[in-house]
Amino acid sequence: MEPSHHLHVDWFSLISVISLLCFAPFIVFYFVMACDQYECSITQPVLDLYQGEATLLSIWARAPSFSWSAAKIYAIWVSFQVFLYMCFPDITHKFIPGYVGGVQEGARTPAGLINKYEINGLQCWLITHALWFANARYFHWFSPTIIFDNWIPLLWCANILGYAVSTFAFIKAYLFPTNAEDCKFTGNIFYNYMMGIEFNPRIGKWFDFKLFFNGRPGIVAWTLINLSYMAKQQELYGYITNSMILVNVLQAIYVLDFFWNEAWYLKTIDICHDHFGWYLGWGDCVWLPYLYTLQGLYLVYHPVQLSDAHALTVLLLGLVGYYIFRSTNHQKDLFRRTEGSCSIWGRKPTWIECTYRSADGGMHRSKLLTSGFWGVARHFNYTGDLMGSLAYCASCGFGHMLPYFYIVYMTILLVHRCVRDEHRCSSKYGKDWKRYTDAVPSRLIPGVF
């Protein structure tokens, strides 16, 4: 059993955690409200408050509040995704070559368990979008602008779900955990709530919280939200800008990549190291769909038409970034799978042999790849990711700061993750890690950082 580390959480951390739990929804609200009331200016609301032009209450009063029609839309949406996840085992892997779907195994948990997952995200995405287009073209059950038209009321519905799911997972961990050995209790109740206790909470045999919330309500919705913005732009101005098409295309590539590689994501950082708490539950319901889609939202209020050169540059940046992100991960996978007996960029890969001691005292060997993209920088996959993120933002022109939230946030997130990984590796491999950093000196950008 993993020792229930009664971590000493200091006062500063505790106050940060509590304030984040209380104020996070309002940070998200601030960005969406700024678009709605201040034409996407991030600074104007602060200036207005400071100069007494507006009060918190007046801003609140002008914003749409919770509505039952939005609650109904949201409830139907989430139920529909649960239905697709639970009731339709994957068939797409049978006829799409190269796609890994159906029942797959996850990574080994700290307690030594290997969970099985029903991977059907791509199928859910395809069915949902087929229905969306069928509705827009033939059925007309609802307007394609429905998401945009209810955006702020839907925000409160998403918050209710985010907090409800986190609270449910929190109580469940104490009363009926899926696997008691994989629970991690710190001595602090707020920290437990935020960072999660259970590793892979489930209801029944298949409903896995992490897999469902990581992808379904949020990432399936991501492309729909963008399509809704596109429809709104058409409705308001009678045309769609090339910037809006760019944002839709570049983000759709990312979303499809996520579902295409869903089985692979089971073995990456979120699923491997994080417990399921507010940070994942609320983050997937609210933070992701609201803040990752700010570019499209901005373009509804500011229909920027880019010059052909600007549009092409952005498209190239996005595609090259995506290519680097994907190839880098592919090279590492290939190297791991073949244990080095493969060819990367046409020649035999080079690597550094490392030894490390595991928790039970055994010695293990590990190979760190130093060729291909992994010879360029130690985290070049993040560099590709950041290039893609910059492309989304640059699609919006340079008139406002708001669309650049995403690249700022991703840079902080990935640099932090970079430092966290390096710290973990340095203590794990010791002297061997020093040999590796001598061989590949840069972290993200060769010669710079």
Side-chain angles (χ1 to χ4, degrees):
M1 179 171 171
E2 194 185 347
S4 51
H5 327 276
H6 285 278
L7 295 177
H8 178 70
V9 182
D10 59 278
W11 278 107
F12 175 72
S13 305
L14 180 61
I15 289 166
S16 326
V17 165
I18 294 174
S19 45
L20 198 59
L21 289 173
C22 298
F23 295 118
F26 299 101
I27 296 169
V28 178
F29 170 73
Y30 182 83
F31 283 99
V32 181
M33 177 281 300
C35 278
D36 193 38
Q37 296 181 22
Y38 289 93
E39 296 195 331
C40 303
S41 164
I42 301 184
T43 47
Q44 200 54 48
V46 179
L47 281 172
D48 272 16
L49 287 168
Y50 178 68
Q51 292 164 350
E53 300 284 325
T55 62
L56 289 174
L57 282 175
S58 74
I59 288 177
W60 184 253
R62 270 186 306 191
S65 58
F66 173 86
S67 75
W68 286 106
S69 56
K72 194 171 72 180
I73 295 165
Y74 196 69
I76 291 170
W77 166 248
V78 176
S79 312
F80 180 60
Q81 288 306 315
V82 172
F83 172 67
L84 288 182
Y85 172 50
M86 293 301 291
C87 306
F88 289 95
D90 191 76
I91 55 164
T92 50
H93 70 276
K94 293 180 179 160
F95 55 84
I96 300 181
Y99 170 63
V100 180
V103 177
Q104 298 293 328
E105 292 188 340
R108 189 180 293 275
T109 71
L113 276 184
I114 293 181
N115 284 306
K116 282 189 164 22
Y117 294 86
E118 173 63 54
I119 299 291
N120 61 358
L122 185 65
Q123 177 173 278
C124 296
W125 189 90
L126 291 167
I127 294 172
T128 304
H129 286 70
L131 280 173
W132 177 269
F133 283 112
N135 168 69
R137 193 41 73 76
Y138 307 108
F139 302 128
H140 307 296
W141 292 319
F142 55 84
S143 157
T145 61
I146 188 168
I147 302 176
F148 176 87
D149 297 334
N150 293 280
W151 201 221
I152 292 181
L154 284 169
L155 170 62
W156 304 122
C157 303
N159 269 294
I160 292 168
L161 181 68
Y163 280 88
V165 164
S166 315
T167 307
F168 177 79
F170 176 73
I171 294 169
K172 178 182 175 307
Y174 286 99
L175 301 182
F176 48 101
T178 304
N179 177 26
E181 280 90 52
D182 273 327
C183 288
K184 177 173 111 190
F185 296 91
T186 65
N188 187 286
I189 193 162
F190 294 104
Y191 193 78
N192 286 349
Y193 182 80
M194 179 165 164
M195 296 315 289
I197 303 169
E198 273 201 87
F199 206 68
N200 288 104
R202 290 192 167 194
I203 292 182
K205 186 169 175 234
W206 289 108
F207 189 81
D208 186 272
F209 278 70
K210 230 191 236 179
L211 184 67
F212 181 77
F213 286 100
N214 203 27
R216 301 321 155 79
I219 300 184
V220 173
W222 190 341
T223 32
L224 289 185
I225 293 162
N226 282 342
L227 287 168
S228 184
Y229 292 153
M230 191 146 93
K232 193 66 186 180
Q233 210 186 40
Q234 176 70 49
E235 181 192 281
L236 289 174
Y237 309 106
Y239 59 87
I240 291 167
T241 60
N242 56 5
S243 51
M244 181 64 92
I245 293 169
L246 263 180
V247 167
N248 269 269
V249 169
L250 291 173
Q251 295 192 343
I253 291 173
Y254 188 86
V255 169
L256 276 168
D257 175 84
F258 176 83
F259 288 120
W260 184 268
N261 296 292
E262 198 173 19
W264 174 82
Y265 275 105
L266 287 179
K267 296 183 164 62
T268 64
I269 190 159
D270 291 357
I271 300 271
C272 280
H273 302 299
D274 294 337
H275 292 249
F276 186 84
W278 175 86
Y279 155 77
L280 280 180
W282 178 85
D284 292 332
C285 288
V286 182
W287 187 265
L288 186 149
Y290 277 82
L291 296 185
Y292 289 13
T293 58
L294 284 173
Q295 292 79 27
L297 183 64
Y298 172 82
L299 293 171
V300 173
Y301 295 94
H302 297 272
V304 180
Q305 181 72 20
L306 305 172
S307 68
D308 292 351
H310 185 150
L312 267 172
T313 309
V314 168
L315 182 63
L316 270 174
L317 177 68
L319 295 177
V320 169
Y322 173 70
Y323 172 76
I324 291 175
F325 167 72
R326 208 7 82 212
S327 312
T328 308
N329 286 323
H330 173 70
Q331 286 175 1
K332 188 180 188 172
D333 280 353
L334 182 70
F335 178 73
R336 273 193 179 153
R337 225 178 30 246
T338 59
E339 300 209 343
S341 51
C342 58
S343 130
I344 291 176
W345 288 358
R347 42 172 102 84
K348 209 172 151 33
T350 54
W351 66 81
I352 284 175
E353 281 277 351
C354 294
T355 49
Y356 65 94
R357 193 179 288 277
S358 63
D360 55 15
M363 290 303 282
H364 300 273
R365 305 180 78 81
S366 196
K367 295 181 169 83
L368 296 176
L369 179 60
T370 57
S371 59
F373 281 124
W374 296 93
V376 180
R378 301 198 290 269
H379 300 272
F380 211 56
N381 50 336
Y382 292 167
T383 310
D385 212 353
L386 289 172
M387 286 165 73
S389 307
L390 181 60
Y392 305 162
C393 301
S395 306
C396 298
F398 305 111
H400 279 83
M401 291 182 338
L402 181 120
Y404 289 84
F405 167 82
Y406 189 70
I407 182 71
V408 172
Y409 170 72
M410 288 304 280
T411 304
I412 295 168
L413 182 82
L414 293 179
V415 168
H416 171 255
R417 196 174 277 184
C418 214
V419 173
R420 188 170 84 173
D421 288 355
E422 303 242 320
H423 183 72
R424 194 162 57 217
C425 291
S426 157
S427 53
K428 179 174 164 182
Y429 298 126
K431 281 205 284 291
D432 292 334
W433 181 254
K434 179 77 181 77
R435 278 170 45 223
Y436 171 65
T437 55
D438 289 346
V440 188
S442 300
R443 292 188 189 90
L444 287 169
I445 305 166
V448 184
F449 173 72

